[in-house]
Every structure is written in structure tokens, then in C-alpha cells.
Amino acid sequence: MGILLNACCFFSQVLEPDGALYASIAKHMANTNDWVNLWGNGADWLDKPHLPFWLTAASFKLFGISAFTYKLPSFLCWLAGIWYTYKLAEKVYSTAIAQLAAIIYVTALHVILSNADVRAEGYLTTFIVAATYYMYLAYINNKISDIVLAALFSAFAIMTKGIFTIVTISSGFVIYWIINKEWKEFIKPKWYLLIVLIFIFILPELYCLYTQFDLHPEKIVFGKTHVSGIHFFFWDSQFGRFMNNGPIKGSGDIFFFLHTTLWAFLPWSIILLIVLIGSFRKTAIAANKHALIIGGSAFITFLMFSLSKFQLPHYIVIIFPHLAMITSYWLMEKAPDSTLKKLSNTQTTLFTILSVLVVVIVYLTGFCSVWIPIAISLTITFTLFLKTCHPLLSIVKKNIGFAILLALFLNGMFYHRLLTYQGGMMAGKWMNEAHPGKTVTMYQCNQYSFEFYCKGNVERADTSTTLFKEDKDTIYVFTPARIVNRLQQNAPDKNIAVLNSFSNFHVSQVTGTFLNKTTRQEVLDTLVIAMITNK
């Protein structure tokens, strides 16, 4: 059921900005058969490593370019992550704890959001938990095959997000070895073999970065020349962000991921908070010492993110398998029945709040389908009135109901209607029907969704000189409506005819004014497709 409710993500489109940007980069890779150079924003693109784009471009080549094929490889990878979460929890804890951990993982709020708004986290989470699983097997079994697989998945993680992923994979083991004085582990040849193999497996990434950037110091990246892709990969993209002295900067808040986890890990976050408080009071420490590996990895990663100056909510998803295991262990082994009964009541309140919130949003937005009230009513009835024989089962039932209601609401209705206000996507789809195959210039606007959805060639121009650099009889332009009059003034010898207009809003940052159907028009922008011809 958890897998199916996450599969609802295929009913929604690709969201601006990051998802549409990554999709357009992979689209360019697939169309040009250039698997070495990353091209985004109309220029050489140096921000993320190649692996997610390789996987997405391969999906495009095999099945065609669409929102479905963009999300497919990430979703399949996420499915593998469920299996690895289960296997790791089974090895460290028990089968029952592993089963509940898998349920917790697939029903967490931000997991559902991440499968709908695909970035790198679906890939990265799986690669990290898989590498941790094989490293754990290598620790207890000493098999060379486990070392090879641990290195391979570690390399996949590095080629997805960067070198910092090694911290999440290995920190729990290091903490465990130090606390238990297993000093010999630090000098065992197998771990040095692991490091060597990781370096060998990331050579394709290093080759691409060296070829695209280090061999071409004349390229302008981040507003300057002589930018090393290798240096950025190993330093600026990770430690530069952490210390806020790299080309990409942010403003960190040490409590950011604390309050982010409280909503992102819903409906399990209240239970997780109790577990963490109990851990400090030594009431939730696992009898199995190896559980410290899971907790240590989660703690160090959380601390690293919290101290970083560059913070985004979706970063925290990579330790959700760890948090699911910790929460599952406490529920199965440590929580007394009296506490579980209280938590069951708490989860009832939480589910009721979500139900009311969904109904209010449906009414406020006017985003409603015929089947939505039926689905909401059935979910509420199932969740609140189906009897269970144990308070733990009651908690699980209510939290699964929470996830079902949320997934149906978001992927079955809300995103579908919300994205009609993603002007770039709507314009791209219209262009495919009205003027298929035509070259379009994005003029003084940057809509990644237009670049992805428009099947014709999409060019960019920021000045009228660039726009009219080639003497063409007809030019199709995608631009904000407010630019059209100014463009006409700059080109008095041209006829500019608006072919269609599209309402636009930054859909990944909805506001109350936008959600309210009576005030929505106040915050909408208008984008147009215009045709320019000679007089």
C-alpha cells in the first residue's frame, strides 16, 4: 500500500524549479548523445554530479521524453531503497523491526513529496543505505564481495551528490569502533581496499569534470574563468557550502533541520521526538550494540547539516531510513502499552487535523475533482473506525491512513490543478500542439519547465540584439506579457502578435493569497507565446 500511494507521483508533472531544471539537463544529454558535458541555464553547468542525469537520460532514450520517464528511474531506485532499508534493519535488529521500519519509511511525508518532486534524493537515499548495508556485511563477514558492493554504492552516492555522502555511510561505524575500542578496525586492509575501489569507481565522474572544465579554463563558470571541475567536486560543492566560502552560498540556521524534521517525518515525527528525548535519558538505548551504527550515522549527518550554512529541506531525506529504523525499534521493543495507547490518541488527533486541513484547502482553492470527496471520506472512515487488536497496530493504521490521504490529495488532485499555473509547462505543451517542431526563444525569462516540455528547439536571449541576431522571417518568442510592449518599442520594424497567454505562479512556493481562489489573480504573472514577423 505504501508503494502504491507513492506511485501516485506518476499522475503529476515535473515541478519548477529544480525538477524541471534537472529534467531539461537530462533531456539535452539524451538529445545530443553528449554524456560527458552537463548543459543547463544555456551554459556549461557545474553544480551536481552526473549519475542522476545519466540514469534519467537513459530512461529518456529507452522510453521517450516525458514526466513519467523522468520520474521512473528515481522511483525504481527508491523501491530498491525500501528493500535495503528492510535488509539492514533485519541484520541489525530483527525481522519484525525491519518490517515496521519499511512501513515507516514509505509513509513519511517528505518521501511522498520527494517522489512527486524528483531531484537527487530518491537516488541518494538508496545508494547510502545500500552502501551502509554492504559495509555492515563486510564488517561482520569479511567477504570481498561485500567490500566491492559497498564501494560501488558509495561511489554511486558520491556521483549523485558529492563526497560528503561518505560521512553518512561511514560515521556510524567509526563512532561504534571508537566507543567499543575496536582500534584494530582502523588498520584492517579491507577498509583501505574500500577507499581504493571507491576512487576507481568514481573515475567516470572525474573524467567528465576534467574534460568539461579543467581542460577548458577559458569557460566562464560562476562568473569567472579557470574554474576546476575536480576542485569544485572535492571541495567547493561540499566544504565550500559547509563553510560558506564557495561559489554557492547560503545562510544557515542551526535549528533549521530540527523543525524541518518535525514536519518532514510526519506522521511519525512526534514518536521520533519522544525516541530522541528518551535516548538522551538513556531509556531508548538499544540492547543490540550494533544499533549504535545506525544512530551514530544519523546523528553525525544531522549535526553536519545543522552546522552547514547551506540548507534545504530535502537534504534530510537521506537519513529517513535510519530514523525509520530507530523509531521502529523503540515502538517494537521499548515503548510500554500505556505509552502506545497515548500515542494512538495523539495520532488520531494528528490525522483529524490533516483531514480538516485537506477539506479546508479543497474548499479554499476550488481544486476539486468528483472522486476526491469520496476518497477522503473512505480514507477517514477506514482510519478512524476500523478496529485493531493492539495499540501499536492502531498507530500504524492511523499513520498509513495519514499517508494515503496525503498522497491522494497531493498527487490525485492538488498537484494536478496547481501545475496548471506552471506557465512554462502549459506554454510548452501548447506549442507542441499548435506549432510543433518550431524553434522558440525564451526572452528575458527562465522557465525550465518550458525548456523541458517544448519538443522544439529552445533558445535563450536576454537582449533584443541577441533575439534578432539572425534575420529570420518568423521568430517565436516565449516571454512575460509585460515585456511585449517594450520589445515592440525596441523593434519598430517588426510585427509582434501574441498567440496565446498563460497564467504563471512559482508553484513550489505557494502562499495563502494564491491558494485562496478569490485572491489568486492578485499574485499571478502572465507569460505569452508571441510571433514576430517583418513588417
Side-chain angles (χ1 to χ4, degrees):
M1 189 177 292
I3 291 171
L4 289 175
L5 67 89
N6 277 275
C8 291
C9 69
F10 290 116
F11 293 114
S12 63
Q13 300 294 322
V14 181
L15 273 72
E16 291 266 13
D18 289 354
L21 169 61
Y22 299 163
S24 65
I25 292 172
K27 175 186 175 182
H28 181 271
M29 180 180 285
N31 285 340
T32 62
N33 287 313
D34 182 356
W35 301 82
V36 173
N37 299 285
L38 295 182
W39 188 263
N41 280 322
D44 290 281
W45 194 76
L46 178 61
D47 187 13
K48 299 290 189 299
H50 285 65
L51 184 56
F53 304 107
W54 286 333
L55 295 173
T56 307
S59 178
F60 288 164
K61 297 288 285 187
L62 289 172
F63 307 113
I65 298 173
S66 67
F68 179 86
T69 53
Y70 171 67
K71 296 181 180 184
L72 181 62
S74 175
F75 187 80
L76 294 176
C77 194
W78 174 76
L79 289 179
I82 302 171
W83 187 82
Y84 278 115
T85 299
Y86 171 82
K87 295 299 291 184
L88 179 58
E90 186 181 39
K91 284 290 183 182
V92 176
Y93 298 98
S94 68
T95 300
I97 291 173
Q99 291 170 338
L100 181 55
I103 291 173
I104 293 172
Y105 176 54
V106 301
T107 53
L109 167 57
H110 216 312
V111 170
I112 298 172
L113 295 179
S114 295
N115 279 322
D117 184 12
V118 172
R119 296 169 182 165
E121 279 59 45
Y123 301 106
L124 183 59
T125 306
T126 293
F127 297 149
I128 286 176
V129 72
T132 305
Y133 170 67
Y134 287 115
M135 189 170 175
Y136 182 76
L137 292 184
Y139 167 57
I140 61 177
N141 294 330
N142 292 312
K143 288 184 179 179
I144 188 66
S145 59
D146 294 327
I147 288 290
V148 173
L149 288 170
L152 181 63
F153 280 103
S154 296
F156 286 167
I158 293 170
M159 291 190 293
T160 298
K161 199 70 172 181
I163 201 71
F164 88 90
T165 55
I166 291 297
V167 175
T168 303
I169 295 167
S170 62
S171 57
F173 293 94
V174 172
I175 289 174
Y176 177 78
W177 295 337
I178 291 173
I179 290 177
N180 290 279
K181 297 182 172 57
E182 295 186 15
W183 308 114
K184 291 183 179 180
E185 289 295 330
F186 291 99
I187 59 174
K188 286 185 176 179
K190 62 182 178 182
W191 303 126
Y192 295 94
L193 174 62
L194 176 70
I195 295 172
V196 171
L197 288 174
I198 290 173
F199 181 79
I200 292 173
F201 289 144
I202 66 171
L203 285 177
E205 176 66 32
L206 300 182
Y207 169 80
C208 291
L209 291 171
Y210 182 78
T211 301
Q212 184 173 4
F213 297 102
D214 294 73
L215 284 180
H216 297 279
E218 76 281 0
K219 289 184 176 181
I220 300 175
V221 184
F222 303 124
K224 60 182 181 180
T225 58
H226 293 84
V227 174
S228 167
I230 302 294
H231 183 271
F232 179 86
F233 178 71
F234 282 112
W235 185 261
D236 288 334
S237 69
Q238 308 296 304
F239 302 101
R241 294 190 187 194
F242 183 81
M243 294 183 289
N244 218 34
N245 59 6
I248 302 176
K249 294 180 172 63
S251 54
D253 172 9
I254 196 170
F255 298 110
F256 177 81
F257 285 105
L258 178 60
H259 54 73
T260 294
T261 304
L262 290 178
W263 68 260
F265 202 59
L266 284 171
W268 304 94
S269 53
I270 295 175
I271 301 172
L272 176 64
L273 185 61
I274 294 172
V275 174
L276 296 178
I277 294 173
S279 296
F280 286 110
R281 294 176 179 175
K282 298 184 179 181
T283 59
I285 300 299
N288 183 349
K289 294 189 299 181
H290 286 179
L292 182 60
I293 295 172
I294 306 301
S297 177
F299 174 75
I300 293 299
T301 303
F302 189 91
L303 183 64
M304 176 176 64
F305 285 164
S306 297
L307 294 176
S308 172
K309 294 297 182 182
F310 193 89
Q311 301 170 333
L312 292 171
H314 53 269
Y315 286 1
I316 200 66
V317 176
I318 68 170
I319 61 170
F320 273 19
H322 303 70
L323 301 182
M325 292 180 226
I326 294 168
T327 304
S328 176
Y329 168 77
W330 184 82
L331 286 170
M332 296 289 292
E333 299 290 341
K334 291 293 183 179
D337 285 353
S338 58
T339 301
L340 292 177
K341 290 177 182 178
K342 293 177 183 178
L343 284 174
S344 179
N345 294 332
T346 301
Q347 299 309 113
T348 300
T349 303
L350 191 63
F351 178 81
T352 303
I353 292 172
L354 175 67
S355 302
V356 172
L357 189 61
V358 166
V359 172
V360 169
I361 292 177
V362 168
Y363 172 77
L364 188 67
T365 60
F367 294 171
C368 191
S369 304
V370 175
W371 62 272
I372 283 295
I374 299 174
I376 291 174
S377 300
L378 289 175
T379 304
I380 292 173
T381 301
F382 162 80
T383 303
L384 296 181
F385 298 105
L386 181 67
K387 300 297 182 182
T388 51
C389 59
H390 191 277
L392 178 55
L393 291 178
S394 178
I395 292 171
V396 173
K397 176 200 66 172
K398 291 166 186 174
N399 287 359
I400 289 176
F402 185 101
I404 292 173
L405 180 58
L406 189 70
L408 289 175
F409 168 68
L410 288 177
N411 293 317
M413 182 203 72
F414 185 72
Y415 282 144
H416 176 71
R417 294 293 301 275
L418 176 70
L419 290 177
T420 61
Y421 294 94
Q422 187 165 270
M425 180 190 77
M426 300 303 291
K429 289 185 173 184
W430 179 83
M431 195 69 193
N432 295 336
E433 295 179 0
H435 304 279
K438 297 295 185 180
T439 296
V440 188
T441 301
M442 284 199 297
Y443 180 66
Q444 294 189 9
C445 71
N446 190 22
Q447 292 283 323
Y448 301 123
S449 59
F450 181 78
E451 196 169 17
F452 174 66
Y453 279 96
C454 183
K455 294 180 181 179
N457 183 40
V458 178
E459 299 177 346
R460 292 165 176 262
D462 291 326
T463 64
S464 57
T465 302
T466 305
L467 179 63
F468 300 121
K469 66 179 179 180
E470 296 182 13
D471 187 17
K472 297 180 180 178
D473 292 335
T474 303
I475 300 174
Y476 291 94
V477 176
F478 177 57
T479 189
R482 62 183 182 276
I483 300 295
V484 174
N485 289 336
R486 192 189 315 159
L487 183 60
Q488 182 69 81
Q489 295 172 2
N490 293 335
D493 59 330
K494 304 287 184 181
N495 289 316
I496 302 179
V498 174
L499 303 180
N500 205 347
S501 61
F502 309 88
S503 296
N504 184 64
F505 186 78
H506 196 307
V507 294
S508 64
Q509 296 179 353
V510 294
T511 62
T513 305
F514 171 81
L515 288 177
N516 190 336
K517 58 181 178 288
T518 62
T519 59
R520 187 174 301 141
Q521 289 296 326
E522 299 174 10
V523 293
L524 293 180
D525 192 12
T526 302
L527 303 174
V528 301
I529 296 286
M531 184 173 66
I532 303 176
T533 56
N534 294 321
K535 284 186 176 180

